[in-house]
Amino acid sequence: MKKSCFGLTAAMLALALTFATVPNASADVPPPPVNQTLGIFDATIDFTQPNINREFCQVCHEGSQVERHHALVTPEFGCFECHVVHDGSFANFRECTTCHETSPHHTTADAQARHCSACHGSFVADYDDGHYIPRYNPTAFTPLTGGVELAEGRFAGGCMACHMADVDQGIANNNETHHGTGLIECTWCHNFELSDNRMIRKCEDCHDVKSLHNIQADSNNDGMITPGTEMGGYGHVGANADCYGCHIKTFLAFQSATVAEPTIPSITSLSTSVLAAGQSTNLTIMGESFVNTSLGQTFTPVVEVTNGDEVILLYPLPSFTSQKLTTPLPATLEPGNYDLRVKKDEVVSNKVTLTVTAAVEIQSAIINRNQIVITGFDFGNRTGETLRDNSLGTVMSWSDKKVVTRIPDAMAGQTVTLVTASGSVASAKIAASKYIKKNTLKEKFEKKVKDRINSILNK
């Protein structure tokens, strides 16, 4: 099962409360634990463990990461920031932990500023965005931070009703998940002046009322999400059983919202994470909750692509479903790394990276002494870098169609690599210039004649 599952089964509820009749939940998905894959995978990453390697990272970071890293190249941050030479050969640079010695996920400026939505989208709130947090004392239907233990290992009335550790999924418990972020300011999550039953209010700095009530997956794969009519265990608002998972003391059946609301979309994969500049194509996005209905209103997706201050909105083809959409990508995207999200009204999905590379082409690389003239297309007008094996070249001139570089000990037959300022890479075999070839033939002829004369004289 690939979808997130939340909720509480009737059997579990009966253990705790015998005074209420629970609606039939036989079709519901029994937690805990649940597949916590909506938004961004719910797990901790300990970089001291041997299983944290390239294969592990690519479970989430699919596709080639070469272009994504090359797109980071600037005149100030060049090839040899990553490709380090030791004893005449490159050190290992294909293993993620060679550079990422600790988790990079919460070291960004946004993470340090507690602007969690920058990556997690509308699944969480930012502590300073002015979102609604109830100020009244928790009541009988307010979830508890730790929930209520029904039986050994079984909880309700809080996050632990569904979000529990699961070795098979690599999911940690709530404490480990939050402490494992590396965000070490305890007061960001804890207000030790509050009593235990009021600690829920501190949780709502990030897990606010609005986001918690808009998390839902498509339970029957019919292409449309309709809160209140889904099977329990596939989100927070699919069925009555989902409500009971948190609001165990009230048994309030699902009530139709008074305001139509979009559920939060979630991206799990892209048909490709690398595109060539100058080419229009269709990009397929897989995930959850791309379309839903609420109070008779249908909320449909748009795709937002950003690079710095540049924001581009793309409109999917009309064949989208709750789990799949296809959107045309224009040929006008410049080379670089882009943040891609799916939006529905005011809510946005988690962020994924789309890399656009320049379609660089080398037609020739001609050497004359130690100077190499490289000609071709789409080199860009910003100076990049040139390499030959472990040697970094000195760029003499750079234009969109011609680069002149000096590389020590370079010779015909070797390979020269060109890295543009936008991170695109192209390589070509070095050829000798016609001038050199003519001189070489002349020298060989003269040497042959000289050797012949010496042979005759020595007889």
Side-chain angles (χ1 to χ4, degrees):
M1 184 175 59
K2 297 182 179 179
K3 289 172 281 298
S4 242
C5 311
F6 304 86
L8 192 65
T9 62
M12 290 170 57
L13 287 166
L15 290 173
L17 298 167
T18 60
F19 57 82
T21 299
V22 181
N24 186 356
S26 59
D28 298 340
V29 178
V34 293
N35 292 333
Q36 298 161 69
T37 55
L38 283 179
I40 292 180
F41 195 64
D42 246 356
T44 59
I45 302 176
D46 182 358
F47 272 65
T48 65
Q49 298 300 313
N51 69 313
I52 307 301
N53 52 27
R54 186 183 183 191
E55 182 180 0
F56 177 92
C57 297
Q58 288 199 310
V59 172
C60 293
H61 300 283
E62 296 179 327
S64 172
Q65 300 302 308
V66 175
E67 295 84 358
R68 179 174 178 176
H69 285 80
H70 283 164
L72 302 175
V73 172
T74 66
E76 294 77 28
F77 187 88
C79 303
F80 284 91
E81 300 293 334
C82 296
H83 300 279
V84 180
V85 178
H86 287 306
D87 299 326
S89 61
F90 283 118
N92 181 16
F93 57 86
R94 298 192 181 278
E95 185 55 64
C96 303
T97 53
T98 300
C99 293
H100 298 291
E101 296 179 353
T102 58
S103 174
H105 298 114
H106 292 102
T107 59
T108 64
D110 282 323
Q112 295 299 313
R114 286 186 280 172
H115 294 159
C116 308
S117 65
C119 289
H120 293 272
S122 298
F123 286 96
V124 291
D126 299 330
Y127 85 103
D128 58 354
D129 62 7
H131 64 266
Y132 167 69
I133 297 178
R135 296 303 177 189
Y136 55 82
N137 287 332
T139 67
F141 60 84
T142 303
L144 301 175
T145 54
V148 176
E149 188 168 11
L150 306 178
E152 185 178 356
R154 297 287 185 175
F155 294 81
C159 309
M160 289 181 67
C162 301
H163 294 273
M164 298 178 67
D166 182 7
V167 175
D168 291 336
Q169 293 187 65
I171 293 172
N173 63 39
N174 283 330
N175 289 341
E176 291 170 341
T177 299
H178 287 84
H179 289 156
T181 61
L183 302 174
I184 59 175
E185 295 292 334
C186 300
T187 55
W188 287 2
C189 296
H190 298 279
N191 183 344
F192 297 103
E193 296 180 358
L194 295 177
S195 59
D196 288 345
N197 69 334
R198 283 186 56 82
M199 284 298 291
I200 189 69
R201 299 298 181 228
K202 193 61 179 170
C203 299
E204 289 172 322
D205 279 354
C206 294
H207 301 286
D208 63 316
V209 173
K210 186 176 181 62
S211 66
L212 291 176
H213 289 89
N214 285 296
I215 296 174
Q216 185 59 43
D218 186 356
S219 63
N220 57 6
N221 297 322
D222 66 353
M224 177 64 73
I225 292 174
T226 304
T229 67
E230 303 286 339
M231 291 189 296
Y234 286 83
H236 286 184
V237 292
N240 290 336
D242 299 325
C243 306
Y244 302 152
C246 284
H247 303 289
I248 186 173
K249 293 188 177 182
T250 60
F251 285 89
L252 293 176
F254 180 89
Q255 301 293 322
S256 296
T258 56
V259 179
E261 296 280 3
T263 54
I264 304 168
S266 173
I267 299 175
T268 56
S269 64
L270 306 177
S271 57
T272 180
S273 59
V274 180
L275 302 170
Q279 298 181 9
S280 59
T281 187
N282 286 338
L283 178 71
T284 298
I285 304 173
M286 302 298 294
E288 275 288 358
S289 193
F290 294 154
V291 58
N292 75 277
T293 62
S294 179
L295 296 181
Q297 182 175 343
T298 300
F299 292 90
T300 57
V302 296
V303 177
E304 181 182 81
V305 177
T306 61
N307 185 346
D309 294 331
E310 181 184 12
V311 179
I312 302 170
L313 292 181
L314 307 174
Y315 294 89
L317 301 178
S319 57
F320 56 77
T321 68
S322 61
Q323 298 174 333
K324 180 180 179 180
L325 65 81
T326 299
T327 184
L329 288 175
T332 54
L333 291 178
E334 296 292 330
N337 285 330
Y338 290 80
D339 293 337
L340 185 147
R341 298 175 176 85
V342 174
K343 296 183 65 176
K344 289 187 335 192
D345 205 19
E346 78 277 9
V347 298
V348 297
S349 73
N350 53 303
K351 178 184 73 175
V352 295
T353 300
L354 177 70
T355 300
V356 179
T357 62
V360 177
E361 178 183 346
I362 296 178
Q363 290 187 315
S364 66
I366 308 298
I367 190 169
N368 187 349
R369 303 185 192 282
N370 68 338
Q371 183 170 286
I372 304 172
V373 178
I374 305 171
T375 59
F377 300 98
D378 297 319
F379 299 160
N381 292 313
R382 291 187 297 144
T383 301
E385 291 183 337
T386 56
L387 303 97
R388 192 271 307 166
D389 293 334
N390 297 336
S391 298
L392 182 65
T394 301
V395 176
M396 312 302 295
S397 64
W398 190 293
S399 67
D400 190 52
K401 296 182 179 180
K402 181 179 179 181
V403 171
V404 179
T405 183
R406 293 182 183 273
I407 303 180
D409 303 321
M411 61 182 65
Q414 295 177 334
T415 299
V416 63
T417 299
L418 181 147
V419 184
T420 71
S422 62
S424 297
V425 180
S427 298
K429 290 286 186 181
I430 302 173
S433 70
K434 293 180 180 179
Y435 173 77
I436 292 177
K437 288 181 179 179
K438 286 180 180 179
N439 280 351
T440 300
L441 291 172
K442 180 180 177 182
E443 289 170 359
K444 286 182 177 180
F445 177 76
E446 290 176 347
K447 184 177 183 301
K448 187 174 182 180
V449 171
K450 187 176 180 179
D451 290 344
R452 179 62 175 164
I453 293 173
N454 288 335
S455 176
I456 293 173
L457 292 175
N458 290 331
K459 286 183 176 179

